[in-house]
Structures are given as structure tokens and as C-alpha cells.
Amino acid sequence: MQSFFHDIFTGRFSHPCRHRAAVVIFFVLLASLPSLADQNPNAAMEKSSEKLFLEARSSFEDKDYWDAARDLIILIDFNANYSRTDEVLFLLGECLYEIGLQNSAAKLYRHLLTKYLRSPFLPRAMLGLQRTEYDRKDFARCIEYHNAISRSNAPRPVMDASYYFAGLSYYTVRDFPRAIDLLDKLSSKSPYYEYGQYTLALSYLRMKNVRKAINTFKDICTLTIESDERRNIVDETHLTLGYLYYELGFYEQAGEHFRNVSSNHAHYDAALLAAGWSSIQLGDQLQAITPLTSLVTLYPEKENTEEALFLLGHCYLKLQIYDGALKVYDQLISMFPNRDIIPAIIEEVQSNLLDESITIEKMKTELLVLESNFLDALPLNEADGAVPEHLKEERALLIEARQNLMARIQEERKKFEELTYKMELLQQMTKRRQSRRDWRAFAEYGKSRVLFLQSLQ
């Protein structure tokens, strides 16, 4: 027995699954054997709890939220008197939020607020509730939590995050002056800073303060790229600023910003199309060919590709490269079905959309039931010492049941996300096919112009 405990603490059970099983067995033995209770069980329990907690936190930092949550639930279940229980509850709430179990996360945040009144994690728990209310689109409640956080002695990172979510809430309900007031308070060291500045610039635009909006957008563009998240927001800012300059008629500045969007950005195809348009507006069809050709080559299945092909045909036509124009227009026409086929295609897609919608609603209901069962299974009441004696004797079985429930939720959520993504693709396909009639008409008109001009040579 002593060698077993030695193996636990010296790291023989180094594999996560083996270690987790060893800790569970250790907790069961420690709680059930009187001989162990005589050998300072509190110190042994605390030491093993600390080891398990550090592993859970490491999993959380590695974004392995499911493993972290399982370890934290085991810890709550077996050692309600752990000295860092408040931190365990908060971290478990964060895990469940990241997994997508927002109701479960909110329950843990509220439990922390009501049971650990002196915990230093109370401001963070309130921030967790503020964030969940924002995700639920209950912006009034989100702002209420911000006001509560403002009255607490919250650390600066928590305060910055609260400013951000409250600022976005005010922006969404179109209270732009208050959005500006809060977002302008964000520290430049906050991970929300660049996103807050982007919404701040949009708020200035809504207030028709174009100069301040442009200056704020420009400041974002000068930020040092330190992460993929920052690269993404800088790219989005270049794209937005390009559209703004384009609408104002400053096509050269617009094109410069469109060309500064990196190829890794999700809307790089839109930037290429806009860069082509900017060059065309400047009368430089030769320069427009480069981004348009890149778009057609890199993204043959994107919706913007169709417009890019039409513009390419236009550029070749203007440059009197008639063979190139004919080739592009023929390619564009070949991409579209005949008009009499389109209604049947649309009807088929809409039928598939209806079937997928029914399936998604059913999966939503199943996920809600699973999460409700998971909420009931969380060992919060046990931490208060209210669990019946006969359940204490079956804790190992309860843990296994909870883990199986979590695994099922994980599997169902993955299926739900995959199905939702497929449905979005179907919706986009429907929209594209409905609009393709116009592009086919444009392409046929362009082709007739090319043939006419060729006949004049």
C-alpha cells in the first residue's frame, strides 16, 4: 500500500489516464480506510488534490478543456475541503464555457458567488456571467453585471474585459456614446484592446465622426503583429478601411488597404475582388488583372469568383484582348445552369434545408436535455456535505456516470456543429444559385460585345 502511494506522488503514473485513475483509487481508499485516517489524511488529501489541480490547470492552458473539466469534477467530488476549491469551481466554469455548456458554466459562477463570499475569484465569476449574458444576447443583463464589477475591487484585466463586453452591448443596442466611453477605457495591454478599438471606430462611424473613425482604424493597422488573433483584426481593419475609402471615392488609398490584407485572412477573396474594383475605378485595368486572376485561381468555388470572372472579362475587353475575354465569359457561362433548370435545383436544395433544419432542432433539444442532466450531476451539493451516505459509498460509479455523460455531450456537440456547418453551406449554395441568373445574363451580354468588336476588326 505504501509503495502504491509512493508511485502516485513520485510520478510513476505519469500518463494522464493512468494518473487520473490512480488518484480516484487513492481518494476512495483514503476516504474509506480508518487506518489511513490515522496517518494525517488531510495533508495527504491536500497534496494529492494539489497535484490533480495542477494537471487540470495545465490541460486548461493547453486548451484541452474536456480533460481539465473531468479532473476538476473528480477533485470537487472527493475533496470538498481542498484549500483552493473556489479556484477549482471558477476554472471548471471556464472549462464548461469553452466547451459550450453555458448553462452549466453559469451555475458554477453563481455557486461561487453565493458560497465563497471572500474569494478573490468573485470578480472573475461575475465576468463569466457577464460574458454568458452577452452570448445569450441579453445585453441589459450584461450591462448590469458590468455595473456590479465596476463596484467591486476587480483587477485591471477583469475590468478591461468587462469594459469590452459592456461596450459591445451598448454598441449593439445603438447607444454609441456609452459604447465609446467604455471602449475608450480599455488598456492597450488587454487582449481585448484591438477588438475594442475596432468597435470604437465603428461607433465613431455611427456617430458620423468619420475623421476619428479613420484615425482609429489607422492606429489598429500600425499595431505590431504578435499573434494570429491580432493579425486577423489588423486584416479586418485594412479591409474595412479599404471599403470606407472606396465609398468616399479615394480609390488609390482603398486599393492600398485591400492589398495589405494577408492571404491567411478568412475574407482574403473579398479583398482581392475589392482591389480589382479599385484599380478599375482608377482606369488601370492592367493592374486589376493581377488580384482578379489570383482570386479565380485560389478560390474557384467562392461566390466572389463569379464576379471576379466578369470583371476579368471586362478588363480584357477594355485592353482589347478579345480572345482572353471570350475565354473568361465562356467559363462564366459554363458555371451556370440553364434558366429552366434553376427552379428544380432551388426546390431540391430547399427541401434538403428543411430536412436539415428538423434534424438540427432535434439535436438542439437532445443537447439541452443532456446539459440539464449534467447540471444535476455536478457535485456542488456534495461539496456542502448534503449528499446522502449511500451515495458517498458509490462515488466511483457516479464519477464514471458523469464522465460518460460528458463524453456523450462532446460527441453530440461535434455532430451538431458539423451538421450546422453543412446547413450553412446549403444556404449559401441556395443564395448563389438564385443570383446566378443575373451573372449568366451579364456574361452572355459581355460575350456578344466581344464577338461584335471582333467582327469590326
Side-chain angles (χ1 to χ4, degrees), residues 63-78:
K63 299 184 178 181
D64 192 352
Y65 303 116
W66 289 98
D67 276 356
R70 281 193 292 265
D71 285 347
L72 292 168
I73 290 173
I74 290 173
L75 184 50
I76 295 171
D77 211 345
F78 278 105

Side-chain angles (χ1 to χ4, degrees), residues 189-213:
K189 296 180 180 180
S190 170
Y192 296 98
Y193 175 72
E194 50 265 37
Y195 292 95
Q197 289 293 296
Y198 183 81
T199 308
L200 178 64
L202 293 179
S203 300
Y204 283 134
L205 271 182
R206 296 287 189 175
M207 296 288 292
K208 302 188 184 302
N209 193 336
V210 179
R211 184 177 298 276
K212 272 197 171 184

Side-chain angles (χ1 to χ4, degrees), residues 80 83 161 179 183 205 209 248 301 327 333 339 385 391:
S83 60
L183 294 171
L205 271 182
N209 193 336
L248 294 173
E301 301 299 324
K327 183 178 179 180
I333 292 171
R339 292 178 177 85
L391 288 182

Side-chain angles (χ1 to χ4, degrees), residues 111-286:
H111 181 76
L112 182 59
L113 289 173
T114 56
K115 298 297 182 179
Y116 297 86
L117 299 179
R118 295 185 178 181
S119 171
F121 291 93
L122 293 186
R124 298 185 185 183
M126 284 192 287
L127 176 62
L129 288 169
Q130 180 188 4
R131 184 178 54 189
T132 55
E133 295 300 342
Y134 178 81
D135 291 343
R136 292 169 180 165
K137 302 187 185 303
D138 191 340
F139 303 115
R141 288 281 292 166
C142 177
I143 293 169
E144 286 178 10
Y145 277 115
H146 165 70
N147 294 334
I149 294 171
S150 299
R151 293 190 295 268
S152 69
N153 189 24
R156 183 69 201 196
V158 174
M159 205 66 244
D160 280 335
S162 184
Y163 286 142
Y164 175 74
F165 288 109
L168 263 60
S169 296
Y170 278 124
Y171 178 83
T172 305
V173 299
R174 305 182 68 83
D175 191 341
F176 305 118
R178 290 188 180 180
I180 291 171
D181 179 60
L182 291 181
L183 294 171
D184 201 35
K185 294 179 180 179
L186 274 172
S187 168
S188 60
K189 296 180 180 180
S190 170
Y192 296 98
Y193 175 72
E194 50 265 37
Y195 292 95
Q197 289 293 296
Y198 183 81
T199 308
L200 178 64
L202 293 179
S203 300
Y204 283 134
L205 271 182
R206 296 287 189 175
M207 296 288 292
K208 302 188 184 302
N209 193 336
V210 179
R211 184 177 298 276
K212 272 197 171 184
I214 289 178
N215 289 337
T216 305
F217 282 133
K218 284 183 175 180
D219 289 341
I220 299 173
C221 292
T222 61
L223 292 174
T224 304
I225 305 302
E226 299 174 344
S227 63
D228 292 339
E229 290 78 9
R230 179 164 285 188
R231 173 78 271 177
N232 180 67
I233 193 62
V234 170
D235 284 340
E236 190 66 28
T237 303
H238 277 302
L239 189 58
T240 303
L241 199 50
Y243 285 136
L244 183 56
Y245 276 125
Y246 188 93
E247 291 299 322
L248 294 173
F250 298 106
Y251 303 118
E252 187 173 351
Q253 293 91 328
E256 182 180 349
H257 282 286
F258 292 137
R259 287 188 290 272
N260 280 331
V261 176
S262 71
S263 58
N264 294 327
H265 189 54
H267 300 132
Y268 182 57
D269 60 310
L272 290 172
L273 179 63
W277 268 114
S278 298
S279 296
I280 290 172
Q281 293 291 355
L282 290 169
D284 192 346
Q285 284 79 21
L286 190 60

Side-chain angles (χ1 to χ4, degrees), residues 351-369 412-427:
S351 176
N352 290 334
L353 280 173
L354 180 61
D355 293 339
E356 297 292 354
S357 297
I358 294 172
T359 304
I360 285 177
E361 287 302 317
K362 182 180 178 181
M363 292 187 72
K364 275 184 181 179
T365 304
E366 291 176 352
L367 278 171
L368 286 173
V369 171
E412 291 296 322
R413 181 164 290 278
K414 183 178 179 181
K415 292 179 181 178
F416 174 75
E417 290 172 353
E418 290 176 353
L419 192 57
T420 301
Y421 175 71
K422 290 179 181 179
M423 185 172 178
E424 289 175 354
L425 291 180
L426 277 173
Q427 289 173 334

